[in-house]
């Protein structure tokens, strides 16, 4: 499999070639005018993309399950610059889409798509991928992985304010329909200094191999070490999130035997920080506990502040539910909800959400139905927070004196 | 803050209410070194927990939505006291006016308000950019519908003309331009109905959008269905919308739904001299027949 260094111009050439051969290229782009919001969109050139920026507002699922689609062969597409959690989300949905009913339209899009992820810096505060068996450089669902060798500088705090201001100007002037005086200056002020990027690229699947073959320069030892250092720092960052989110204790230790076994499996060194491993072990205990605690007293207080808006499911990269309408030649899918809901109260609905992700799915397909991207927490209008709920469940499910977070 | 907590403790201790619905800090939001960054709704059922309650400019959420009888998981808790800003109390008045709750079934803890931010993750300081559109020209900072009122009146929020400017810009457009604007904004709708679910005034047992025999509104996210849904909702909210902007905040696609609501409210105000106020005894135009109502459209 190819291992290479790709410069920004290599990637730009790749995009141009793909677009030239009528492939659709999808990448995170800036949403509105500020730095903290991006979303996936079709790009024509690399300059349009914002690789390695904030987590896009919505997940990738809409590119495999669009709101409206025709029953015609789908165009080949390449996703460029998704964080690894979003690729993992697509992979987790694959199991659902091919379980009891084989969704042809999903499968066709999956077959026609190559996903190139960029390792994440793990710096988002509400992320917890480490607790659900993933990491900032994991390759589940990924065809090729790029690890940044030079970290792009984010905008300094003073410019964030400017960017925010700019966004309001754009909103005020009705979504860019009218240019306003000073817009160009503001835009430039919000722009951080550009620096050409380089990535260590590795193919994970034959599809990724086909995309990368013959591109870039060979990877040297120094750059290999830099890529390793990036991944290590990112994993530490996720681990500190897990402690801050109380999914793991700062001094969390594993059972000595387990630790030795894991270290042996990792070639003498624990790849993940201990806090991550400990949080993951705790989450892995949930399916069994949840199955026994359908009627636990906890569900009712947990659901109180839920406003029922469903934003958590809308933005979730692994929430598979949709409703289908058939028109003459096309299908329209929209997120959930038709007619009276099958579960009558908010408590039942919240319980189903947690059960589906952390009990029903894992008992069928082994991994949990969550990538720890944290979108649901950010989108929640009631201030609910999945890691917080998980933290409570993990404590309830912990066997006594296990060294799990208390 | 202490006044509110003591009142909550008294109400719970005396058994006047079973739950106090207010605001609390989100401890896990924001980096630890910065401290809690956000507030969220809080449900206090135990008097020993009243110290969780806070109120500041981040408390943008309209808690009256939790009184909506559709939320049976909350009505099951028993009688509630709810913390309301003057503007939120208008939604409570709406629910009373439309027979959804009885005035005596709820204890209202009014808070004097100095304006709130657009998003609870902003603030607590209020700047011209951060202040919510709903605070523009607010006349409800001093609550008028309450059982208890707490806190001193903070200074008024920074003035913003953001929304009136946007409405004026829409007014200046030709109908064709306006249609283009709304068509483009509504084309983003995915029909998740977050706007409906979060709305304190959307309490229908079965929404017309969920009726499929016959299907009044195309349920898929097509331009036709989207326009039908949002127009139906805007008209159904005429004279009922309290302009709390919860729908706009909840919309995952960032559709400026508040503009639509405000436009309709403005029309109702001009035509019927009615504003969805905090006085539940004033009937809404939709619910009353008056001989002096204009009827120039009947020819």
């Amino acid at each position: 499999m190819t291992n290479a260094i790709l410069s920004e111009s290599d990637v730009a050439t790749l995009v141009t070639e793909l677009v030239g051969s009528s492939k659709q290229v999808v990448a995170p782009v800036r949403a509105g005018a500020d730095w903290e919001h991006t979303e996936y969109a079709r790009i024509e050139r690399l300059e349009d993309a914002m690789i390695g920026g904030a987590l896009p507002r919505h997940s990738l699922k809409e590119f495999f399950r669009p709101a409206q689609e025709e029953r015609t062969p789908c165009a080949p597409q390449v996703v460029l610059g998704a964080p690894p959690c979003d690729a993992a989300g697509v992979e987790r949905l694959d199991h659902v889409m091919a379980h009891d009913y084989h969704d042809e339209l999903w499968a066709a899009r999956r077959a026609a798509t190559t996903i190139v992820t960029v390792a994440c810096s793990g710096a988002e505060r509400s992320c917890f991928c480490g607790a659900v068996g993933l990491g900032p450089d994991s390759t589940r669902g990924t065809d090729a992985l790029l690890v940044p060798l030079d970290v792009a500088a984010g905008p300094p705090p003073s410019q964030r304010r400017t960017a925010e201001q700019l966004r309001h100007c754009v909103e005020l002037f009705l979504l860019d329909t009218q240019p306003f005086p000073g817009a160009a200056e503001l835009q430039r002020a919000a722009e951080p200094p550009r620096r050409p990027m380089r990535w260590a690229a590795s193919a994970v699947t034959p599809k990724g191999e086909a995309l990368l073959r013959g591109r870039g320069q060979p990877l040297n030892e120094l750059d290999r070490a830099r890529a390793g250092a990036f991944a290590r720092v990112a994993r530490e960052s996720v681990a500190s999130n897990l402690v801050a989110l109380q999914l793991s204790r700062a001094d969390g230790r594993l059972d000595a035997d387990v630790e030795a076994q894991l270290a042996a499996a990792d070639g003498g060194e624990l790849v993940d920080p201990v806090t991550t491993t400990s949080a993951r072990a705790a989450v892995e205990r949930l399916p069994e506990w949840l199955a026994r605690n359908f009627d636990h007293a906890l569900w009712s207080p947990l659901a109180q502040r839920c406003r029922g808006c469903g934003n958590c499911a809308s933005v979730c990269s692994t929430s598979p539910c949709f409703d289908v309408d058939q028109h003459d030649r096309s299908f329209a899918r929209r997120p959930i909800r038709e007619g009276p809901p099958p579960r009558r109260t908010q408590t039942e609905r919240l319980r189903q959400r947690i059960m589906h992700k952390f009990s029903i799915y894992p008992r069928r397909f082994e991994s949990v139905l969550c990538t720890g991207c944290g979108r649901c927490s950010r989108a929640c209008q009631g201030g609910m927070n999945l890691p917080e709920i998980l933290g409570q469940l993990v404590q309830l499910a912990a066997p006594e004196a296990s060294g799990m977070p208390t | 803050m202490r006044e509110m907590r003591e009142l909550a403790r008294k109400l719970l201790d005396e058994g006047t209410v079973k739950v106090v619905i207010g605001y609390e800090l989100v401890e896990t939001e924001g980096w630890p070194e910065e401290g809690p960054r956000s507030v969220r709704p809080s449900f206090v059922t135990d008097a020993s927990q009243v110290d969780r309650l806070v109120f500041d400019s981040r408390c943008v959420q309209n808690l009256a939505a939790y009184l909506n009888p559709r939320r049976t998981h909350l009505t099951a808790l028993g009688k509630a006291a709810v913390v309301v800003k003057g503007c939120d109390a208008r939604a409570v008045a709406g629910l009373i006016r439309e027979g959804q709750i009885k005035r005596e079934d709820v204890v209202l803890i009014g808070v004097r308000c100095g304006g709130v931010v657009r998003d609870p993750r902003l603030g607590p300081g209020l700047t011209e950019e951060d202040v919510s559109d709903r605070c523009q020209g607010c006349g409800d900072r001093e609550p008028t519908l309450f059982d208890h009122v707490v806190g001193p009146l903070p200074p008024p929020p920074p003035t913003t003309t953001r929304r009136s400017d946007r409405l004026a810009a829409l007014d200046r457009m030709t109908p064709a331009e306006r249609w283009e604007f709304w068509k483009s904004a509504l084309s983003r709708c995915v029909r998740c109905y977050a706007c409906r679910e979060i709305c304190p005034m959307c309490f229908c047992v079965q929404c017309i959008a969920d009726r499929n025999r016959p299907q009044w509104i195309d349920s898929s996210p097509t331009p036709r269905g989207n326009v039908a849904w949002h127009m139906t909702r805007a008209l159904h909210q005429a004279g009922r919308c309290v302009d709390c902007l919860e729908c706009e905040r909840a919309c995952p696609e960032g559709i400026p739904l508040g503009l639509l609501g405000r436009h309709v409210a403005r029309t109702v105000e001009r035509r019927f001299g009615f504003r969805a106020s905090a006085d539940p005894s004033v009937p809404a135009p939709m619910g009353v027949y008056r001989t002096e109502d204009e009827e120039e459209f009947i020819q």
Side-chain angles (χ1 to χ4, degrees):
Chain A
M1 291 279 175
T2 302
N3 267 309
I5 295 179
L6 294 186
S7 67
E8 206 165 306
S9 67
D10 291 331
V11 179
T13 313
L14 173 67
V15 173
T16 315
E17 282 178 23
L18 289 169
V19 171
S21 58
S22 46
K23 287 195 171 69
Q24 176 171 317
V25 181
V26 173
V29 301
R30 202 195 288 194
D34 73 37
W35 288 100
E36 298 184 23
H37 295 90
T38 64
E39 61 194 356
Y40 289 114
R42 215 175 147 164
I43 59 164
E44 301 292 328
R45 312 166 302 158
L46 181 64
E47 295 95 290
D48 299 339
M50 201 164 149
I51 309 286
L55 186 75
R57 254 173 1 129
H58 292 275
S59 78
L60 271 178
K61 69 183 176 191
E62 300 313 321
F63 290 89
F64 299 94
R65 201 202 63 179
Q68 203 162 4
E69 59 188 329
E70 304 243 328
R71 294 207 65 164
T72 49
C74 56
Q77 59 181 356
V78 172
V79 175
L80 177 68
C85 55
D86 278 354
V90 175
E91 189 263 352
R92 293 199 175 171
L93 284 181
D94 284 343
H95 298 288
V96 180
M97 296 302 188
H99 174 53
D100 47 1
Y101 173 77
H102 179 76
D103 190 316
E104 286 168 36
L105 295 168
W106 174 278
R109 280 214 160 68
R110 280 292 277 138
T113 306
T114 307
I115 302 181
V116 181
T117 53
V118 170
C120 161
S121 66
E124 284 248 13
R125 177 62 165 79
S126 26
C127 303
F128 53 100
C129 59
V132 292
L134 297 169
D137 58 340
S138 59
T139 54
R140 281 259 208 145
T142 294
D143 295 305
L145 173 73
L146 307 183
V147 180
L149 295 173
D150 309 289
V151 180
S158 58
Q159 288 189 1
R160 264 191 205 172
R161 180 54 70 184
T162 322
E164 181 79 1
Q165 223 167 343
L166 177 63
R167 189 164 72 90
H168 288 304
C169 292
V170 173
E171 270 175 10
L172 173 61
F173 285 90
L174 303 168
L175 313 167
D176 275 331
T177 52
Q178 304 165 5
F180 54 93
E185 288 71 27
L186 261 173
Q187 180 89 37
R188 268 198 297 280
E191 206 82 48
R194 282 280 300 149
R195 186 155 58 146
M197 296 273 297
R198 294 183 315 138
W199 296 274
S202 48
V204 180
T205 65
K207 273 200 272 187
E209 175 68 25
L211 198 74
L212 292 185
R213 193 180 299 124
R215 293 184 191 277
Q217 303 297 316
L219 192 62
N220 62 35
E221 276 312 305
L222 179 62
D223 283 329
R224 196 186 298 276
R226 291 177 85 169
F230 179 91
R232 190 179 306 265
V233 170
R235 281 163 182 258
E236 290 291 347
S237 165
V238 170
S240 67
N241 268 5
L242 297 180
V243 174
L245 293 168
Q246 298 176 8
L247 282 167
S248 189
R249 263 197 338 212
D251 61 347
R253 299 299 300 172
L254 291 172
D255 196 296
D257 288 345
V258 179
E259 203 168 326
Q261 274 174 26
L262 284 171
D266 286 341
E269 185 194 4
L270 276 177
V271 173
D272 270 324
V274 171
T275 46
T276 304
T277 317
S278 134
R280 192 172 63 217
V283 170
E284 279 167 5
R285 210 171 282 125
L286 289 181
E288 194 265 331
W289 185 86
L290 285 169
R292 283 187 287 112
N293 286 281
F294 191 77
D295 292 318
H296 200 280
L298 159 106
W299 298 116
S300 173
L302 271 188
Q304 281 168 350
R305 61 173 62 88
C306 178
R307 303 281 296 263
C309 69
N311 273 352
C312 49
S314 290
V315 298
C316 178
S317 65
T318 59
S319 175
C321 309
F322 58 84
D323 179 38
V324 185
D325 282 324
Q326 190 171 1
H327 295 255
D328 292 348
R329 300 211 26 230
S330 66
F331 287 102
R333 313 193 194 212
R334 87 190 158 76
I336 45 183
R337 244 188 229 126
E338 177 71 22
R343 294 176 188 83
R344 292 178 59 84
T345 67
Q346 215 56 60
T347 310
E348 291 165 283
R349 288 177 217 137
L350 175 83
R351 176 174 61 196
Q352 174 60 20
R353 178 169 169 75
I354 303 292
M355 285 284 182
H356 186 202
K357 292 191 168 305
F358 297 99
S359 178
I360 300 169
Y361 183 94
R363 279 185 288 146
R364 217 166 251 166
F365 306 117
E366 295 193 346
S367 53
V368 294
L369 188 58
C370 173
T371 65
C373 69
R375 281 191 179 91
C376 52
S377 305
R378 274 169 244 138
C380 181
Q381 297 304 315
M384 314 226 325
N385 189 313
L386 185 55
E388 184 187 52
I389 295 174
L390 277 186
Q392 293 183 32
L393 293 175
V394 157
Q395 281 180 33
L396 287 169
E400 287 184 20
S402 67
M404 283 298 125
T406 49
Chain B
M1 214 97 89
R2 216 188 57 202
E3 206 183 341
M4 186 200 299
R5 291 173 180 166
E6 285 316 311
L7 176 62
R9 191 192 312 279
K10 184 161 156 279
L11 292 170
L12 288 166
D13 274 344
E14 287 172 350
T16 316
V17 298
K18 297 283 183 223
V19 55
V20 176
I21 307 176
Y23 301 91
E24 68 180 22
L25 294 173
V26 189
E27 298 292 340
T28 51
E29 187 81 52
W31 299 99
E33 59 274 20
E34 292 170 358
R37 236 185 91 188
S38 184
V39 302
R40 66 181 177 188
S42 182
F43 293 77
V44 180
T45 51
D46 182 344
S48 67
Q49 296 285 309
V50 294
D51 288 342
R52 272 163 45 196
L53 295 172
V54 297
F55 184 79
D56 63 29
S57 64
R58 289 174 289 190
C59 300
V60 54
Q61 298 96 334
N62 183 353
L63 302 183
Y66 289 114
L67 296 175
N68 193 320
R70 174 161 62 83
R71 301 181 194 279
T72 48
H73 67 301
L74 294 179
T75 49
L77 291 175
K79 186 169 177 174
V82 58
V83 175
V84 284
K85 306 183 283 291
C87 50
D88 301 338
R90 296 167 56 206
V92 181
L95 291 170
I96 297 170
R97 186 181 293 124
E98 300 184 13
Q100 296 301 308
I101 54 172
K102 294 202 180 74
R103 178 66 187 88
E104 60 272 22
D105 288 347
V106 58
V107 173
L108 295 178
I109 304 176
V111 278
R112 299 188 178 91
C113 176
V116 289
V117 290
R118 287 179 285 120
D119 181 303
R121 290 178 179 90
L122 299 168
L126 266 182
T127 64
E128 201 182 310
E129 301 105 68
D130 291 348
V131 67
S132 169
D133 283 354
R134 69 190 286 203
C135 300
Q136 182 181 344
C138 176
D140 298 307
R141 298 201 302 119
E142 179 78 48
T144 53
L145 179 68
F146 57 82
D147 295 291
H148 308 273
V149 65
V150 294
L153 183 68
T159 322
T160 159
T161 56
R162 200 163 49 225
R163 191 158 56 155
S164 49
D165 290 352
R166 295 183 71 182
L167 276 171
L170 273 173
D171 286 342
R172 280 195 302 273
M173 289 183 184
T174 64
E177 285 168 344
R178 206 152 45 228
W179 174 235
E180 277 309 310
F181 169 77
W182 282 113
K183 227 166 49 179
S184 132
L186 298 180
S187 69
R188 301 204 296 272
C189 177
V190 293
R191 303 295 283 286
C192 67
Y193 299 128
C195 47
R196 172 184 80 187
E197 295 301 317
I198 201 142
C199 178
M201 297 308 294
C202 267
F203 48 67
C204 296
V205 175
Q206 190 178 22
C207 176
I208 191 170
D210 288 338
R211 293 291 291 267
N212 48 15
R213 272 178 304 192
Q215 188 177 61
W216 298 104
I217 297 174
D218 183 353
S219 67
S220 51
T222 55
R224 188 177 66 167
N226 289 355
V227 170
W229 161 242
H230 288 287
M231 292 303 127
T232 304
R233 183 164 185 278
L235 291 176
H236 193 184
Q237 291 285 352
R240 306 177 59 242
C241 171
V242 295
D243 198 21
C244 64
L245 295 185
E246 292 288 82
C247 49
E248 188 166 303
R249 219 164 50 76
C251 178
E253 302 297 326
I255 302 171
L257 292 169
L259 286 179
L260 209 52
R262 184 72 201 112
H263 175 78
V264 175
R266 198 176 54 176
T267 309
V268 171
E269 224 167 319
R270 277 184 198 151
R271 301 273 308 186
F272 300 94
F274 176 83
R275 173 175 174 267
S277 72
D279 182 355
S281 65
V282 181
M286 284 269 232
V288 69
Y289 175 75
R290 291 191 312 187
T291 47
E292 64 270 29
D293 282 348
E294 290 179 50
E295 49 187 34
E296 77 283 4
F297 56 93
I298 303 176
Q299 304 264 323

